[in-house]
Amino acid sequence: DAGVIQSPRHEVTEMGQEVTLRCKPISGHDYLFWYRQTMMRGLELLIYFNNNVPIDDSGMPEDRFSAKMPNASFSTLKIQPSEPRDSAVYFCASSLDFLNYGYTFGSGTRLTVV
Amino acid sequence: QQPVQSPQAVILREGEDAVINCSSSKALYSVHWYRQKHGEAPVFLMILLKGGEQKGHEKISASFNEKKQQSSLYLTASQLSYSGTYFCGTEIGIYGQNFVFGPGTRLSVLP
């Protein structure tokens, strides 16, 4: 099993540009989560999906953020337009049943907006 | 509501023991524990459920005191590889609607 795969590993972009982060969850995992990690705010849940359906997006900071999961093996997190305060490490995680088995995190995407 | 972790940081010598605490102001259904090494993703260690037993993972174990609304992570005879930031995550409901990570405890094990 290759684990949760995220791309790109690093992204540097200019303010105002669109950024798309990608995630491939572990096959068979019904839950997919997008987290953001910063020194100031720690690990924050942005949105999670169950069987490709968004369940809770209350953590999405603004309308500039959007997430999709068109199928069970792919999800995207898009920021448009990006701002310097969006700079963070974005993690995707998947779980078979997170109430009983916990999350498997991807390696993360380090986003820097200049 | 974010759980509270203590201590914020701890420094140990190899072979020493440590305890990390995680507490909530609300009744808990479950507690997760994760370890994150610098520059890496968090890695799941264990989960404790309400009414469940103390869990163990090599020399790392945890307990869950429902009455006190807290969990403790025990690291015995620490190894250099135990260094990292330990996060607890708490869930108050049975449907997972309110899962939130704590701020983390930074553990440094020195030779």
Side-chain angles (χ1 to χ4, degrees):
Chain A
D1 194 337
V4 177
I5 300 172
Q6 290 187 248
S7 64
R9 287 296 306 274
H10 303 273
E11 177 80 34
V12 180
T13 190
E14 292 186 346
M15 182 173 63
Q17 295 298 306
E18 177 179 295
V19 176
T20 299
L21 311 181
R22 296 172 176 80
C23 175
K24 176 180 169 55
I26 292 174
S27 177
H29 281 194
D30 294 332
Y31 292 88
L32 183 139
F33 305 82
W34 283 100
Y35 274 88
R36 178 172 68 176
Q37 186 175 36
T38 60
M39 288 295 294
M40 292 297 295
R41 301 174 69 92
L43 277 161
E44 300 176 276
L45 176 65
L46 300 177
I47 185 171
Y48 83 90
F49 296 83
N50 179 215
N51 291 321
N52 314 337
V53 177
I55 302 300
D56 182 0
D57 65 355
S58 60
M60 297 285 262
E62 301 170 31
D63 291 344
R64 299 184 296 107
F65 286 69
S66 62
K68 294 182 180 180
M69 192 165 185
N71 56 63
S73 59
F74 184 66
S75 177
T76 60
L77 178 68
K78 185 176 294 186
I79 308 172
Q80 166 62 18
S82 57
E83 296 182 4
R85 60 192 168 120
D86 300 332
S87 297
V89 179
Y90 290 81
F91 287 106
C92 174
S94 71
S95 180
L96 179 65
D97 171 7
F98 71 94
L99 287 177
N100 295 291
Y101 295 100
Y103 303 159
T104 300
F105 282 84
S107 299
T109 295
R110 181 173 293 277
L111 174 65
T112 303
V113 183
V114 298
Chain B
Q1 189 168 1
Q2 188 179 49
V4 175
Q5 287 188 236
S6 63
Q8 289 185 324
V10 59
I11 299 174
L12 301 173
R13 292 286 181 184
E14 207 172 359
E16 293 181 337
D17 301 341
V19 180
I20 299 172
N21 298 304
C22 174
S23 62
S24 172
S25 60
K26 296 179 180 287
L28 298 175
Y29 173 76
S30 68
V31 179
H32 296 211
W33 286 98
Y34 292 79
R35 176 172 63 207
Q36 184 179 29
K37 293 183 179 290
H38 183 68
E40 299 181 7
V43 174
F44 175 70
L45 294 177
M46 66 189 78
I47 183 170
L48 298 101
L49 301 176
K50 181 179 179 179
E53 299 176 350
Q54 179 166 336
K55 291 287 188 71
H57 178 74
E58 297 180 346
K59 295 181 180 177
I60 301 175
S61 61
S63 62
F64 181 14
N65 187 322
E66 299 165 27
K67 191 173 182 180
K68 292 185 177 180
Q69 297 163 189
Q70 72 179 38
S71 176
S72 296
L73 185 71
Y74 306 95
L75 299 104
T76 305
S78 59
Q79 305 170 12
L80 297 177
S81 61
Y82 287 2
S83 292
T85 300
Y86 289 79
F87 294 94
C88 69
T90 56
E91 173 56 61
I92 62 173
I94 64 172
Y95 298 110
Q97 316 97 308
N98 298 288
F99 185 82
V100 61
F101 280 102
T105 294
R106 180 171 292 184
L107 178 75
S108 300
V109 181
L110 305 178

